[in-house]
């Protein structure tokens, strides 16, 4: 039986237009050389990713909490619990325990990704999370909730090695 890789999570924090998404685009392929990678993006406004009138949209508006769509190229899931109505956090990881609904939503997403066997998760935004953080742009280190482990301007390979060396968020048994 193969052993699951450690589950390492890093947060990228910085002001809008500071280069966070560009850094995600650079980190993901390098991390993927070492294991499965997922990303989580904090979005501060509602968007519609499920076309009104499509069957999956109809499933969701009929009351399904989660709808999974499978296409020839992609699989996606849409879950109705966002930042406004996240799970209560009773099963969330201790590093993200908080009354903040945004952090509870992040904890729930990380728990699902960990269960799916990802080795790395790069989180864009969620600067209040107590996760290892790479500062991008001129973000003040005191404005983030986690320890600063790097800067966006650092050498890419050095950032990859820093992320690979992080303590696992959750030890799998």
């Amino acid at each position: 039986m193969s052993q699951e890789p450690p589950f390492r999570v890093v947060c990228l924090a910085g002001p809008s237009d500071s280069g966070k998404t560009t850094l995600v685009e650079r980190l993901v392929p390098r991390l993927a050389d070492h294991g499965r990678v997922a990303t989580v993006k904090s979005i501060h406004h509602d968007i519609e990713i499920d076309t009104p009138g499509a069957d999956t949209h109809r499933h969701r508006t009929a009351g399904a909490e989660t709808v999974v769509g499978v296409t020839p190229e992609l699989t996606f899931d849409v879950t109705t619990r966002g930042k406004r109505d996240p799970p209560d956090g009773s099963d969330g990881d201790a590093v993200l325990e908080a009354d903040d609904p945004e952090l509870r939503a992040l904890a729930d997403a990380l728990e699902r990704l960990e269960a799916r066997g990802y080795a790395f998760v790069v989180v864009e935004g969620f600067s209040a999370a107590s996760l290892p953080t790479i500062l991008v742009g001129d973000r003040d280190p005191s404005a983030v909730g986690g320890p600063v482990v790097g800067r966006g301007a650092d050498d890419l390979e050095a950032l990859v090695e820093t992320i690979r060396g992080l303590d696992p968020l959750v030890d799998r048994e």
Side-chain angles (χ1 to χ4, degrees), residues 1-26:
M1 186 182 311
S2 67
Q3 182 178 5
E4 293 288 338
F7 183 64
R8 293 185 169 90
V9 180
V10 67
C11 184
L12 304 184
S16 293
D17 295 323
S18 62
K20 295 181 301 291
T21 300
T22 299
L23 184 55
V24 169
E25 291 174 317
R26 294 178 63 217

Side-chain angles (χ1 to χ4, degrees), residues 36 38-40 43 47-51 56-57 59-60 64-71 73-82 87 105 108-116 118:
R36 293 176 64 210
T39 65
V40 176
I43 301 172
I47 60 172
E48 183 58 63
I49 58 170
D50 193 15
T51 307
T56 52
H57 185 268
H59 294 187
R60 182 166 51 94
E65 184 175 311
T66 297
V67 176
V68 178
V70 181
T71 75
E73 297 293 325
L74 300 171
T75 298
F76 65 92
D77 66 72
V78 178
T79 301
T80 59
R81 294 176 163 243
D108 183 59
L110 292 176
E111 185 177 303
R112 290 192 319 269
L113 293 170
E114 191 273 338
R116 293 177 185 172
Y118 286 92

Side-chain angles (χ1 to χ4, degrees), residues 66-141:
T66 297
V67 176
V68 178
V70 181
T71 75
E73 297 293 325
L74 300 171
T75 298
F76 65 92
D77 66 72
V78 178
T79 301
T80 59
R81 294 176 163 243
K83 295 178 184 179
R84 290 188 189 108
D85 184 29
D88 67 12
S90 60
D91 295 330
D93 191 273
V95 76
L96 293 176
E97 283 182 10
D99 292 330
D100 183 339
E102 183 174 29
L103 293 181
R104 287 198 323 266
L106 175 58
D108 183 59
L110 292 176
E111 185 177 303
R112 290 192 319 269
L113 293 170
E114 191 273 338
R116 293 177 185 172
Y118 286 92
F120 304 100
V121 178
V122 179
V123 176
E124 183 180 336
F126 296 98
S127 61
S130 56
L131 295 168
T133 301
I134 296 171
L135 294 178
V136 182
D138 61 359
R139 177 64 45 109
D140 184 339

